[in-house]
Amino acid sequence: MRKIIATALSAVLILALGPAPARADASTEIQLFWTTLAARGAAVDVNFGITCPVDVDGTATVAITQTRDDGLTASGTGFDEFSCRNGSILNITRVTASVLGAPFERGSARLTMVVTGAAPINRNVRLTS
């Protein structure tokens, strides 16, 4: 039941906090660098870069879901606004574990990222400490 609730909450947050109306063009690109556990698994810092046209504002929504070794599900969503003034930015978004779920742990997880004007990213990542 907890897994269903956590998955449903993540889906609702992604839809609710999804991309704002696109002001960027198709030349916006995302490069994911690394994911690091923070606050003893209560959160994950996602480091990424965005290359975009100059003077573009947008949003970045990141969701992470992990099935832990003990079978519990850890999940959460993070949201940031960004502004490309020089054509590219480096960013860290903190994804906080859901209150109803377990904390994150080292290992593999599923990351979904939606950035205004860019193609969404869906990939497996490795959470490190």
Side-chain angles (χ1 to χ4, degrees):
M1 185 65 175
R2 289 173 63 167
K3 189 174 189 178
I4 293 170
I5 291 171
T7 303
L9 285 174
S10 292
V12 168
L13 285 172
I14 287 174
L15 291 175
L17 300 175
R23 289 177 49 193
D25 66 347
S27 65
T28 300
E29 295 180 17
I30 310 164
Q31 184 174 5
L32 184 62
F33 297 121
W34 59 84
T35 53
T36 308
L37 289 172
R40 292 192 268 187
V44 174
D45 288 336
V46 179
N47 297 271
F48 61 95
I50 302 173
T51 303
C52 50
V54 177
D55 294 332
V56 170
D57 297 323
T59 59
T61 304
V62 183
I64 297 177
T65 302
Q66 179 185 49
T67 301
R68 297 167 20 129
D69 291 338
D70 58 9
L72 297 175
T73 299
S75 64
T77 303
F79 174 81
D80 272 327
E81 294 181 355
F82 67 87
S83 191
C84 281
R85 296 293 174 237
N86 297 320
S88 64
I89 61 166
L90 298 175
N91 199 16
I92 299 174
T93 296
R94 180 158 279 188
V95 175
T96 306
S98 169
V99 174
L100 299 175
F104 294 105
E105 65 182 12
R106 286 188 313 196
S108 65
R110 186 74 179 165
L111 179 138
T112 301
M113 180 183 283
V114 178
V115 173
T116 303
I121 293 176
N122 292 296
R123 69 172 65 153
N124 291 323
V125 294
R126 186 122 187 105
L127 304 182
T128 60
S129 32

